Amino acid sequence: MDAILQIDKLTKRYPGFCLDGLSLTVPSGAIMGLIGENGAGKTTTIDLIIHAIEKDGGEIRVFGKDNIIHEKELKQSIGMVQDTCNLPRMFTISDIETVMGRIYTHWDREQFRALIQKFNLPKGQEIWTFSKGMKVKLNFAIALAHHSKLLLLDEATSGLDPVMRDEILDLLLDFVQDERNSVLFSSHITSDLEKIADYVAFLYEGKLLFCKPKDELVYHYGIVHCGAEQFANMDKEDIVAWRRQDYEYQVLVADRAGIARKYPGCIVDPAALDDIMLLYIRGERT
């Protein structure tokens, strides 16, 4: 499958932090979730893709083209949705419609109006009166109305109620249905990613720990609950990460069905993305 976004050895240095040689590929027609703690490098990665900040090394290609050399052209086909709104606070929906029509070559006025109606946004109010959730909905309407092919979402659903989040997730699934569009979705709400992501990339302290198909993580990873003696008898190659609790060991494994057969005396539960993150970050790795 063709790649819409290719990141190769991307590096950005700040005092006390370094995005360290990140390589990542987002296939066409895919939704990739980007997870990690605050400060792991998720927002930095997205800012580098849209050239909001300067990189220190590496390469970013969008639709096969360098993101800096072809920046103006590429931004016509990139939709950016954050949990904040950077438009002038005195703008109304009508003002935004006029301005965006001048910025984007493929601005779709009718789609924008349909989305504004779907999101129940007031046309006559100034943006500064909008709630956080309303501003996020507005960002989505703008991103989708200029026929983006790549959506970059930075905590974009964090200000939405569960019902609207579910509607947005459905919109994203529709967005990638024709397999020509893609989404890079940075979020702390891992349950959203469990619903719609095709791949999950995990950043930790500026480094990519893994990028795997979501189904592999959700349907195959597990957490073993066992005592000290059982843990001591486990093969080290079966262990992804582990931590000792007051009364048990919790062990992250990559093949919970196989582990359950191999160690029948242990309890093996499914691992959610939050569980996997927690054990990678707070646990120990062999």
Side-chain angles (χ1 to χ4, degrees), residues 224-243:
V224 177
H225 302 270
C226 63
E229 183 177 350
Q230 292 169 312
F231 176 74
N233 290 328
M234 290 185 70
D235 292 335
K236 293 298 182 285
E237 58 265 27
D238 292 333
I239 299 172
V240 176
W242 61 275
R243 65 176 182 168

Side-chain angles (χ1 to χ4, degrees), residues 75-216:
K75 283 185 175 178
Q76 289 289 326
S77 298
I78 297 175
M80 178 73 185
V81 184
Q82 299 170 298
D83 65 346
T84 58
C85 185
N86 298 316
L87 293 164
R89 65 194 303 270
M90 305 302 288
F91 269 23
T92 64
I93 297 294
S94 296
D95 295 327
I96 293 166
E97 187 176 292
T98 300
V99 170
M100 294 303 163
R102 295 171 181 167
I103 292 174
Y104 291 111
T105 304
H106 302 293
W107 179 254
D108 189 331
R109 186 183 299 267
E110 295 306 314
Q111 184 177 7
F112 180 69
R113 290 178 176 177
L115 288 166
I116 292 300
Q117 184 174 357
K118 178 182 179 66
F119 294 154
N120 197 29
L121 295 176
K123 296 180 181 179
Q125 286 185 214
E126 296 174 348
I127 292 175
W128 71 271
T129 67
F130 284 17
S131 68
K132 181 179 179 180
M134 291 165 68
K135 291 175 181 177
V136 172
K137 294 175 192 177
L138 177 59
N139 286 341
F140 268 105
I142 295 169
L144 292 169
H146 69 267
H147 294 287
S148 305
K149 297 184 181 300
L150 172 64
L151 286 182
L152 303 175
L153 312 182
D154 190 6
E155 300 298 335
T157 58
S158 63
L160 302 178
D161 62 74
V163 174
M164 181 50 65
R165 284 209 336 263
D166 200 56
E167 288 187 30
I168 292 295
L169 298 183
D170 286 341
L171 280 177
L172 296 177
L173 289 172
D174 289 340
F175 179 75
V176 299
Q177 277 304 304
D178 65 2
E179 299 188 352
R180 291 181 295 180
N181 302 329
S182 295
V183 178
L184 180 63
F185 189 173
S186 167
S187 181
H188 285 106
I189 307 175
T190 55
S191 60
D192 286 352
L193 301 180
E194 288 174 350
K195 289 179 182 178
I196 67 167
D198 299 293
Y199 302 92
V200 175
F202 182 15
L203 280 177
Y204 178 61
E205 295 183 344
K207 295 181 174 62
L208 182 68
L209 289 188
F210 65 70
C211 181
K212 296 180 181 290
K214 186 271 311 267
D215 286 352
E216 177 182 334

